[in-house]
Amino acid sequence: MPRDVHSDGGQEVSVPSAQRTVHVFSADRSLGIDAMPSLSSVRVFVEKGHVIGVEGSIAGTEDEPFAAGEVPASAEDRLENDAPIRLVRHVLGEVVLTPAFVDAHVHLELSQWNAPPAAPGESFSEWVRRVIAFRQSEAYDRRTAIAAGIAECLASGTVAVEDIAQPGTTGADYGTTVQQGRCERNAAFDDTPAVDVTAYFEIIDPAGDRISQWATAAEAFIDDCRRHGVQPGLSPHAPYTVPFAVLQKVMDLACQKGVSVAMHLAETAAEAELLAQRTGPFRRLLEERGLWNESLWPPEVTMRDYLRELARAPAARIIHGRYLRDAELRFLAERSDRMTLVVCPLTHEQFGREAYPRTFAQLPNVAVGSDSLASSPALRVSASLERLGAWGWAAGKRLWAIGTGQTLDRGPTFPAVGANADFLAWRIDGEGVGLSADADTWYDAILDRGELQAVYRRGRRIFPRGKHT
Ligand SMILES: [Zn+2]
C-alpha cells in the first residue's frame, strides 16, 4: 500500500500514521558480494522493491548475530518513522540467496536465429553477411525476438540486460515477454520491461554521409525509451563502420543527451590492423563498397584516441577488446569509474578465437555479455562465468561480482541495505559444500551444480511465473 502523501506548500510530507507494507524473505543462507558477510537463517526486509534491512547469523561463526537497517520483528513493531506496518512473509526455506545476474552485452533482436551459429574458422565478415541476410528474411520479427530473448535471460537468473538496438526499435518493443511459448504484452509489469533494459541505439555510418539521419533517429529513440522505462544509450557500432570523425559526432550527442555508450572495439586482428596501419581486410571491404573516405581516417588517429573519445561519455562499455594492448588496458583500468570492458566468452569460443593474454585477468572493470544467439549457444550469464573461470580470470566471489554488475556502477548489491531486491534462490546440497565453507566455495559450488529455483526483481518473483511466493 503506498504511503499517504500530502502536499504542503509544494513539499511532499509523508504522514506517519500511514501503513507501510514490508516483505520479509527468509531462507537458509544468503551470500554477500562486497563487504556483506554470508548469513545463515537470513531474513531480508524489502519495501517498495528495495532492501531496508537484513538480519541473520554470520555464516561460519558460532551464531554471531548480524543485523543492518530496519528489521521489524512483528507487526507490532514500529519502524523508524513510527508507522504501523504490514509484514508479508515469504518463507523460501532450504535455498541459498545470491544477487541476480546482469548481462552487459546482448543483441536480443537475433534471439530467433534459425541458422547454425558462428563456427570456428568461419570468417567474421562471412558471418556478418549471414546476420544481414537473416535480418532480411521472413523469419525475422524484431519484437518477438526481443521478447524471446528477455524470457531466456530471466529464466537463467538475469534481471538486467544491456542491448544493442537496431534503428527502428522502439522502447515499447521491450515491454513484452513470452509466456507458455506465446508472446504477450507484459501487463503484469505496468507495460515496462520484465527486466531492466539499457538499449544502445546502433549507429553505422562508414562514409560519414548520414550524420543528420542517424542523429535525428537517435534523439527520437532516446526520448521514446525514456517514456517506456528503458534506459537509452548510443552504440557507435565498430571502428570499421564508424570512422573517428563520425565517432566524435556520436560522442557529442551522447554528452549532450547524458547517455552512455557501447562500442565493439579491438574485436579482431583485422580491425586492429585497420586502426594501426589503415590496411587489411576491412580497408579492402570499405573500398570495394565505395565507402572508404580518406579524410575520415587521419593518419595520427590510433586505438587510444578511440578510447579517449569514448571516455567522454557518462559511462562507456568496450565490447570484446581482445586486441587492446597493455597501455590501452591501463587507460581502461584508470577509468574504472566509468569505463568497463565487456567480454563475451561464449562468442569468443564459438568463433575459435585466440585466447586473451594473461594481462586481461588483472583488469578491475570487467563484465560479461552473452552477445547473441547468432554467435553464442545461450543467453546465460552463468555459462559465461563458467568459461571465464575456466580461463583463469577469476573464481568465487570475484567471478560473481563480474556477473552481477558490480563493475557497472549499479549501486549496492543484494542483500545490502539500499540495494534493489534483485536476487536468485538456489537449491544446492549444503552438506556437500560444508556448512561452514566460505562464500567463495559456495559461489563456485552454485555455478557447478546449483539448481535455480526462483528469480526475484524488486522483491517480486518473475520466474517461474505463477502465484507470488
Ligand atoms: Zn555485439
Side-chain angles (χ1 to χ4, degrees), residues 61-306:
T61 67
E62 296 286 326
D63 284 339
E64 186 184 328
F66 175 93
E70 299 179 87
V71 287
S74 72
E76 286 72 47
D77 278 19
R78 293 290 188 264
L79 295 174
E80 274 176 1
N81 67 353
D82 204 30
I85 54 166
R86 187 168 75 95
L87 283 180
V88 182
R89 297 175 196 280
H90 307 262
V91 180
L92 305 185
E94 295 176 5
V95 293
V96 179
L97 306 184
T98 69
F101 293 127
V102 175
D103 201 322
H105 183 60
V106 287
H107 297 259
L108 294 174
E109 46 113 15
L110 296 175
S111 298
Q112 292 191 311
W113 182 255
N114 58 3
E122 180 177 17
S123 84
F124 186 60
S125 57
E126 194 50 48
W127 174 81
V128 169
R129 280 193 187 93
R130 292 206 289 134
V131 171
I132 292 168
F134 173 70
R135 285 197 185 117
Q136 291 164 349
S137 73
E138 285 200 349
Y140 182 72
D141 173 351
R142 183 186 297 129
R143 185 172 278 201
T144 306
I146 288 174
I150 288 177
E152 178 164 341
C153 286
L154 67 84
S156 59
T158 294
V159 298
V161 297
E162 302 212 347
D163 186 40
I164 305 296
Q166 292 296 300
T169 305
T170 66
D173 286 341
Y174 294 97
T176 54
T177 190
V178 169
Q179 296 176 37
Q180 283 108 40
R182 286 184 303 129
C183 178
E184 296 179 353
R185 286 303 296 170
N186 188 14
F189 298 96
D190 309 313
D191 211 24
T192 55
V195 298
D196 290 344
V197 176
T198 303
Y200 298 93
F201 181 86
E202 186 172 80
I203 292 156
I204 290 182
D205 187 7
D209 55 2
R210 300 185 51 251
I211 289 170
S212 66
Q213 285 103 309
W214 60 249
T216 304
E219 286 199 50
F221 176 82
I222 288 168
D223 295 342
D224 185 59
C225 281
R226 286 179 171 152
R227 278 196 298 275
H228 287 89
V230 171
Q231 184 85 34
L234 297 178
S235 178
H237 170 253
Y240 52 92
T241 52
V242 181
F244 189 70
V246 177
L247 179 66
Q248 289 176 308
K249 301 285 186 197
V250 177
M251 297 312 300
D252 288 347
L253 182 59
C255 294
Q256 181 202 330
K257 302 295 272 185
V259 298
S260 53
V261 295
M263 185 172 200
H264 301 88
L265 195 68
E267 181 173 5
T268 59
E271 183 205 311
E273 182 185 344
L274 179 74
L275 278 189
Q277 296 155 30
R278 310 288 183 268
T279 57
F282 281 119
R283 165 81 183 253
R284 287 197 293 279
L285 184 72
L286 290 169
E287 282 179 339
E288 268 168 38
R289 299 191 167 202
L291 296 170
W292 179 257
N293 179 346
E294 193 83 38
S295 68
L296 298 177
W297 294 91
E300 66 278 9
V301 169
T302 64
M303 186 75 81
R304 175 75 76 96
D305 294 305
Y306 268 80

Side-chain angles (χ1 to χ4, degrees), residues 340-408:
T340 305
L341 178 74
V342 182
V343 180
C344 304
L346 301 178
T347 290
H348 195 82
E349 293 197 347
Q350 192 71 36
F351 276 106
R353 288 176 174 160
E354 278 182 293
Y356 279 78
R358 291 290 310 160
T359 41
F360 279 77
Q362 267 93 56
L363 256 191
N365 41 341
V366 174
V368 286
S370 297
D371 215 346
S372 79
L373 292 182
S375 62
S376 159
L379 304 180
R380 204 162 62 230
V381 170
S382 60
S384 291
L385 294 182
E386 281 170 26
R387 298 319 306 153
L388 216 54
W391 293 359
W393 282 38
K397 256 184 165 182
R398 162 83 182 134
L399 195 57
W400 278 69
I402 290 172
T404 55
Q406 285 283 293
T407 56
L408 299 173

